[in-house]
Amino acid sequence: MNDNILEIKNLVVHYVTDTTTVHAVNGMTISLKKGESLGLVGETGAGKTTTALSIMQLIPDPPGKIVSGEIRYDGQDLVAMSPAEKRSIRGNKISMIFQDPMTALNPVLTVGDQIAEVVRLHQKISRAKASIKAQEMLELVGIPGERYAEYPHQFSGGMKQRVVIAIALACNPELLIADEPTTALDVTIQDQVLDLMEKLMRDRGTSLILITHDLGVVAEICQKAAIMYAGEIVEYGTLEHIYNNTKHPYTIGLFGSIPNLNEDVDRLQPITGLMPDPTDLPQGCVFAPRCPDASEKCRAAAVPVVEVEPGHFVKCVKYHG
Amino acid sequence: MMIPVLLGVSFVIFGMLFFAPGDAADAILGDMATPADKQLFREQQGLDKPFFVQYLRYMKGVVFEGDLGTSYVTRQPVTDEILQRFPATLKLSALSVLLAVIIGISVGIISATKQYSFIDQFATSISMIGVSMPNFWQGMMLIIVFAVWLRWFPPSGFSTPMHWVLPVVTVGTNASANIMRMTRSSMLEIIRQDYIRTARAKGQSERVVIWKHALKNALIPIITVVGLSFGRQLGGAVLTESIFSIAGVGKLMVDAIKLKNFPMVQGGVLFIAFVMSLVNLLVDILYSFADPRIRSMYTRPRTKKPQPAKEAA
Amino acid sequence: MADNEVLSVKMKKRGQSKEIWRRFVKNKGAVLGLAFIVLLTILALVPSLIAPYGFDEQMLSRRFKAPSLEYPFGTDEFGRDIFSRVIFGCRISLTLGLVSVTISCLIGIILGCISGYYGKVVDNIIMRFIDVMLSIPNILLAVSIVAAMGTSFFNLILAIGIGAVPGYARVVRASILSVKEQEYIEAARSNGASDWRIITRHIIPNCMAPIIVQATMSIAAAIIQGAGMSFIGLGIMPPTPEWGSMLASGRAFIRDYWWVVTFPGLAIMLTVFSINLLGDGLRDALDPRLKS
């Protein structure tokens, strides 16, 4: 009936401290089909990582709380699961890759052991077999299997990220969440790592949520894109929709601030202003303070989500009615 | 690296005692001897030679013969006296460190994982109080309560395991306070690291995450503190040994000082400095076991092949 | 600098101190510690106002009286009121702590500065020397110094002070090493600032926080050490009511008269505890980043 591997409905996540409450995610809704790749795009602080951690059920509590909303993986609500059930999904059915490869690996364990660990956690095989599997994964990501017994500090940044990918894919997960996997790497290495990810996922039919602030990367790898701003999805659709039929003023602004090889301009056009303070969000449309097309209607009430064409959703007053 | 330090120590101690007021001849021969006798004694002992000559003679004796001089009081070789008493001090220190590590690390880990909980605050307060207590007073309090009032343990001596309890608890609990604080702060720092998040993202159970992933990384500063603790106890159990009348090196030193038995003091300090350097060396070796990054500085990477991957096809 | 720039810098500094004070007061333990130390200081300055008896008023008829309303801490083997003696002892311990720490601070900071700033050979020599000092357990070092120079209050302070020098030297040196390479030092130097100016204006203010914390902890350690030394008979001699020597003389009586050793030791513990609370509070207030 439903070939959505992941459905998030109206997710609200807050970080609560003694003094303030950070509204990190405010009513976010997206879905992902099996085998699909979604790019989650937004500036720093938009709530992308929080969303990813929510899917993994790794939000540090305290101070983080999933206040309301559903996260359904293959029909089951992740939030309602027992800790043991959640653990059996992590690394096994849903894996995550984090942004900074330099600190993602445990410095006192060998890379081989760190890969073998995730295998042994979810599959009942012997230590020896797990080590072999780990070696295979190393080879798969382009690292010689003999380097099994080496330690993370003996690898470069790009290779560390490959090890991280090996760990993430070792149990053949159905969904991979990659949080800015190439941002911390040199530009030349970025390409290699992205190619690697793409190939591996294509071969295995893995679904992907790729979190990034780089629209170029999304264009290369993903089929769908969701633009996130201040904890909300402001525009969502296929690449066609987003890139060629951009509707939301924020998205338009994002594209406008990228240098264009074909044009000859004197200055880039950034979006004026800054993202709002997540402890003190404005009423009504959250982008209104920076929007060139803003009107009174925008600040008055909550903004509805409009399907401007099949599969293309925009959260903007302009397209309502 | 140890050698220059030890040389330095011997030089400093020798120098200090050399220029100290008080004359060896007076001390040993006492009032009965005539000035002529004393002068003869000085010449025989080589005490009238210049500083450096005496220093070199002394060091030669130490290095080649293990001869640390002769006690003014007992006329026995200092080395013998020290070695006779060293086992007691060693036993006290070793047992105390063991106790301290067991209590300190476990409480520290619990404190760190349940930060701000009742256990954490309780443990932190107790350890602060423990650190503030002079351990000779703690020893006396323990004697009053457990030896005098309750009569569970003997108040002095070191012969049977029952005798060991009170002194080891005194020194051990004191040391455990420091170890607990270091474990707690080290663990708190490690738990915040990204690779701990990676381990959780693999679906690893929290227990393994803490005890394997986190603790292994937190060990380095903990090892430092334990090593320092052990070293300090070896040399500084002076007060505890006094209180419990344990025939150890510390008590020997204190008595020697009161009696102005300079060769004993000199030899004793040198000996202790030597032992502490050994402990430091041991700690350094432990470091390289605990942290592969440090190990790489000393060894070439070894490649261990679990099994050839081709077999699995 | 223009006038309003100077003013805004001054206001920023004042704002910072207020911020530090605010953080400090939030810590109840630290405030408690501070209060107790203030109390001790008052006792140290005017002991005769509070103490009901003199510190060496002997009355052999009232030897070994248990604690009571008349003698809150009981009396000792000479019939002296222990409560009064403990109060008189405040002055000794606090003086010991403060003076010895001042000595070690000064020497340590100077050594640390030279070592950290000038580096290489000088650094190596000084660090070796510090290693030597650290190889000898504190007690034995102090004991050796006192043995060589004779027992007196001043020698005790000196011995303890010297023992603490490595701590400061290392802290200062570490701060200097970490700050030395930073860009604002290069900037200052390229502006023509001399070495001395750089050290005093830029580096030392950055080290102040760890030094203050170290100093507070050292005072506590010095008091315990002083008590320990007096206990073995190498520090302050009776009848001066130093808490450690009171423990030493009371030791013979623990079997029957427990109060003679309990209260002086309790005094040491509470003093050191308050100083530690204060020190922790200072550390958290001065640099909240250091707090977990």
Side-chain angles (χ1 to χ4, degrees):
Chain A
M1 57 144 202
N2 193 345
D3 59 354
N4 276 340
I5 187 145
L6 182 74
E7 286 175 343
I8 303 183
K9 290 200 176 99
N10 288 320
L11 182 65
V12 178
V13 183
H14 292 171
Y15 289 100
V16 183
T17 64
D18 292 337
T19 38
T20 54
T21 302
V22 174
H23 302 271
V25 178
N26 304 303
M28 189 229 191
T29 302
I30 55 173
S31 59
L32 190 67
K33 287 205 185 40
K34 285 198 173 69
E36 222 173 35
S37 298
L38 169 72
L40 188 58
V41 183
E43 295 169 65
T44 312
K48 319 185 293 283
T49 304
T50 307
T51 308
L53 289 177
S54 308
I55 300 175
M56 292 290 284
Q57 293 292 302
L58 278 178
I59 301 271
D61 178 3
K65 271 192 177 9
I66 296 184
V67 173
S68 64
E70 283 182 356
I71 304 178
R72 285 190 177 278
Y73 166 70
D74 227 1
Q76 295 176 297
D77 186 5
L78 288 176
V79 183
M81 283 184 184
S82 72
E85 287 171 325
K86 291 181 192 180
R87 281 202 300 267
S88 73
I89 292 193
R90 279 184 216 134
N92 190 15
K93 301 267 187 259
I94 309 181
S95 278
M96 184 160 171
I97 302 179
F98 298 93
Q99 176 173 340
D100 189 357
M102 301 306 282
T103 53
L105 294 172
N106 192 330
V108 300
L109 299 175
T110 62
V111 299
D113 282 343
Q114 298 192 45
I115 304 177
E117 181 183 16
V118 74
V119 174
R120 295 190 66 223
L121 265 176
H122 301 289
Q123 298 173 9
K124 287 214 172 315
I125 63 179
S126 66
R127 238 180 238 267
K129 288 230 178 68
S131 314
I132 297 180
K133 177 94 179 114
Q135 274 191 300
E136 286 174 3
M137 288 308 296
L138 278 176
E139 299 271 351
L140 204 59
V141 297
I143 297 178
E146 292 92 55
R147 298 193 75 178
Y148 180 103
E150 290 185 24
Y151 291 92
H153 67 274
Q154 293 167 282
F155 292 83
S156 71
M159 302 191 92
K160 284 206 226 319
Q161 195 65 308
R162 290 165 190 261
V163 173
V164 169
I165 294 174
I167 296 178
L169 296 178
C171 293
N172 224 339
E174 295 181 327
L175 170 62
L176 176 68
I177 308 174
D179 188 353
E180 310 217 35
T182 53
T183 309
L185 301 172
D186 292 338
V187 179
T188 45
I189 310 287
Q190 276 187 27
D191 247 357
Q192 288 177 16
V193 171
L194 283 175
D195 282 344
L196 175 67
M197 279 174 61
E198 212 194 351
K199 173 176 179 308
L200 288 178
M201 289 180 335
R202 215 169 354 131
D203 288 347
R204 295 155 176 239
T206 322
S207 316
L208 169 70
I209 296 183
L210 178 69
I211 298 179
T212 178
H213 55 261
D214 186 342
L215 287 162
V217 167
V218 172
E220 274 197 47
I221 299 203
C222 305
Q223 290 115 26
K224 290 225 198 104
I227 314 289
M228 200 161 176
Y229 183 80
E232 301 175 9
I233 302 282
V234 297
E235 187 160 6
Y236 172 55
T238 65
L239 284 196
E240 256 294 311
H241 297 154
I242 305 278
Y243 283 63
N244 296 336
N245 196 11
T246 327
K247 292 288 183 217
H248 195 282
Y250 176 59
T251 324
I252 298 177
L254 278 184
F255 278 108
S257 43
I258 304 176
N260 190 335
L261 279 177
N262 301 325
E263 283 180 26
D264 201 3
V265 295
D266 285 331
R267 308 193 95 183
L268 292 177
Q269 290 226 359
I271 310 174
T272 52
L274 292 170
M275 213 186 278
D277 180 355
T279 61
D280 187 15
L281 293 171
Q283 301 269 49
C285 175
V286 90
F287 184 60
R290 300 167 78 184
C291 183
D293 308 334
S295 68
E296 264 319 300
K297 267 199 299 180
C298 303
R299 290 173 253 267
V303 182
V305 176
V306 183
E307 190 168 4
V308 293
E309 52 181 330
H312 185 181
F313 299 85
V314 183
K315 192 167 185 175
C316 184
V317 162
K318 278 198 324 196
Y319 305 100
H320 183 61
Chain B
M1 235 266 271
M2 233 166 76
I3 317 259
V5 169
L6 288 177
L7 279 180
V9 170
S10 63
F11 194 73
V12 166
I13 291 290
F14 193 88
M16 261 189 341
L17 296 178
F18 186 82
F19 293 108
D23 185 77
D26 289 335
I28 296 189
L29 298 177
D31 294 327
M32 293 299 170
T34 68
D37 291 336
K38 291 189 182 166
Q39 187 54 24
L40 185 63
F41 178 76
R42 285 193 201 101
E43 280 167 24
Q44 279 178 336
Q45 297 286 320
L47 291 173
D48 52 344
K49 299 264 184 357
F51 175 71
F52 270 107
V53 175
Q54 289 201 43
Y55 179 64
L56 286 172
R57 269 184 56 194
Y58 179 73
M59 289 311 291
K60 209 170 77 170
V62 171
V63 172
F64 293 111
E65 292 152 35
D67 174 18
L68 290 167
T70 311
S71 160
Y72 285 170
V73 171
T74 63
R75 315 296 166 88
Q76 299 302 314
V78 165
T79 322
D80 290 348
E81 302 240 356
I82 293 183
L83 286 180
Q84 212 174 42
R85 294 188 173 64
F86 186 58
T89 305
L90 188 62
K91 195 153 57 180
L92 177 63
S93 306
L95 287 174
S96 309
V97 158
L98 196 62
L99 182 68
V101 160
I102 295 178
I103 299 183
I105 293 191
S106 8
V107 175
I109 292 182
I110 298 180
S111 233
T113 50
K114 299 205 190 317
Q115 204 184 1
Y116 303 130
S117 70
F118 174 69
I119 293 192
D120 179 25
Q121 299 190 325
F122 184 67
T124 313
S125 326
I126 295 257
S127 79
M128 250 250 256
I129 295 182
V131 163
S132 313
M133 250 196 297
N135 72 4
F136 50 98
W137 181 68
Q138 187 184 354
M140 285 198 279
M141 290 291 111
L142 285 179
I143 293 182
I144 291 183
V145 173
F146 291 101
V148 176
W149 289 351
L150 293 174
R151 293 187 195 279
W152 286 356
F153 302 104
S156 57
F158 209 49
S159 32
T160 71
M162 284 300 260
H163 282 94
W164 298 346
V165 174
L166 287 183
V168 169
V169 167
T170 306
V171 180
T173 48
N174 230 306
S176 75
N178 260 323
I179 294 182
M180 190 228 102
R181 288 169 125 202
M182 180 50 86
T183 304
R184 180 180 184 273
S185 73
S186 188
M187 284 294 283
L188 280 176
E189 211 194 293
I190 299 291
I191 288 184
R192 281 197 302 220
Q193 298 298 311
D194 283 346
Y195 52 83
I196 299 294
R197 189 175 53 176
T198 307
R200 290 194 182 116
K202 289 182 192 170
Q204 186 58 276
S205 75
E206 194 64 13
R207 203 172 44 96
V208 175
V209 168
I210 299 288
W211 286 86
K212 181 169 155 199
H213 289 264
L215 185 58
K216 262 184 110 172
N217 275 282
L219 275 181
I220 301 271
I222 299 177
I223 292 181
T224 313
V225 170
V226 171
L228 275 179
S229 205
F230 188 52
R232 254 211 325 253
Q233 279 165 36
L234 279 179
V238 171
L239 299 164
T240 321
E241 287 176 12
S242 275
I243 309 249
F244 290 97
S245 307
I246 298 177
V249 175
K251 186 159 188 300
L252 184 65
M253 298 291 297
V254 170
D255 294 339
I257 299 219
K258 289 214 193 130
L259 297 173
K260 300 229 187 287
N261 188 354
F262 290 142
M264 184 63 82
V265 175
Q266 204 164 275
V269 171
L270 198 57
F271 179 76
I272 291 179
F274 176 67
V275 171
M276 282 181 78
S277 304
L278 277 181
V279 170
N280 278 334
L281 196 63
L282 199 71
V283 166
D284 279 342
I285 295 181
L286 276 179
Y287 277 161
S288 59
F289 274 117
D291 188 338
R293 287 166 290 192
I294 298 182
R295 208 184 310 162
S296 316
M297 292 200 307
Y298 297 118
T299 59
R300 281 196 334 262
R302 25 166 267 268
T303 46
K304 170 186 78 176
K305 293 193 172 125
Q307 263 171 69
K310 323 294 178 209
E311 264 186 30
Chain C
M1 271 204 269
D3 274 346
N4 39 342
E5 278 177 36
V6 173
L7 185 63
S8 67
V9 167
K10 281 210 179 120
M11 285 182 61
K12 176 164 176 267
K13 288 229 178 103
R14 211 177 315 154
Q16 251 184 356
S17 343
K18 265 182 80 170
E19 175 68 22
I20 294 179
W21 178 248
R22 199 183 57 85
R23 283 200 291 256
F24 183 77
V25 245
K26 261 169 62 174
N27 184 341
K28 287 178 287 212
V31 173
L32 197 67
L34 182 61
F36 193 74
I37 293 183
V38 167
L39 173 67
L40 286 177
T41 316
I42 297 179
L43 289 179
L45 290 172
V46 283
S48 3
L49 285 187
I50 321 275
Y53 302 88
F55 68 86
D56 56 359
E57 257 181 56
Q58 300 187 12
M59 262 246 276
L60 296 177
S61 59
R62 48 179 201 212
R63 301 169 71 202
F64 294 127
K65 283 221 180 296
S68 61
L69 273 182
E70 221 192 323
Y71 308 108
F73 288 172
T75 60
D76 66 4
E77 69 273 24
F78 293 118
R80 297 177 292 201
D81 175 32
I82 296 185
F83 183 60
S84 307
R85 282 176 59 87
V86 166
I87 293 184
F88 276 97
C90 282
R91 173 186 293 186
I92 301 177
S93 295
L94 286 185
T95 314
L96 181 79
L98 283 170
V99 177
S100 75
V101 162
T102 312
I103 294 181
S104 26
C105 225
L106 285 175
I107 302 182
I109 292 184
I110 295 178
L111 278 182
C113 273
I114 300 178
S115 200
Y117 196 73
Y118 290 107
K120 299 204 205 93
V121 180
V122 173
D123 182 23
N124 239 316
I125 297 181
I126 296 188
M127 278 300 116
R128 287 313 125 238
F129 185 63
I130 301 258
D131 279 342
V132 166
M133 287 188 61
L134 286 175
S135 292
I136 311 180
N138 248 335
I139 301 204
L140 286 186
L141 182 64
V143 154
S144 312
I145 295 182
V146 170
M149 298 178 53
T151 42
S152 78
F153 194 29
F154 182 70
N155 287 346
L156 181 66
I157 294 185
L158 193 66
I160 296 180
I162 292 186
V165 162
Y168 295 99
R170 280 183 155 186
V171 163
V172 170
R173 176 177 176 269
S175 293
I176 292 189
L177 285 181
S178 75
V179 159
K180 194 163 78 156
E181 303 306 319
Q182 292 197 18
E183 285 165 350
Y184 62 87
I185 299 295
E186 270 192 55
R189 209 174 292 157
S190 61
N191 272 338
S194 72
D195 283 350
W196 177 245
R197 193 177 171 76
I198 293 183
I199 293 184
T200 49
R201 291 287 301 278
H202 295 280
I203 298 188
I204 301 232
N206 270 296
C207 310
M208 267 348 273
I211 291 182
I212 291 182
V213 174
Q214 178 94 357
T216 335
M217 303 307 198
S218 291
I219 298 185
I223 295 183
I224 293 192
Q225 261 193 305
M229 294 285 283
S230 308
F231 182 77
I232 355 178
L234 284 172
I236 306 196
M237 296 305 183
T240 315
E242 201 273 335
W243 298 334
S245 74
M246 286 167 74
L247 287 178
S249 29
R251 189 175 151 206
F253 312 112
I254 54 179
R255 206 165 272 269
D256 304 307
Y257 309 113
W258 56 272
W259 56 89
V260 183
V261 294
T262 306
F263 294 105
L266 204 60
I268 301 178
M269 187 186 101
L270 287 174
T271 308
V272 172
F273 186 53
S274 335
I275 299 180
N276 278 333
L277 281 176
L278 181 66
D280 268 0
L282 275 178
R283 187 184 51 214
D284 291 342
L286 286 172
D287 189 356
R289 282 174 299 152
L290 288 178
K291 186 182 178 136
S292 331

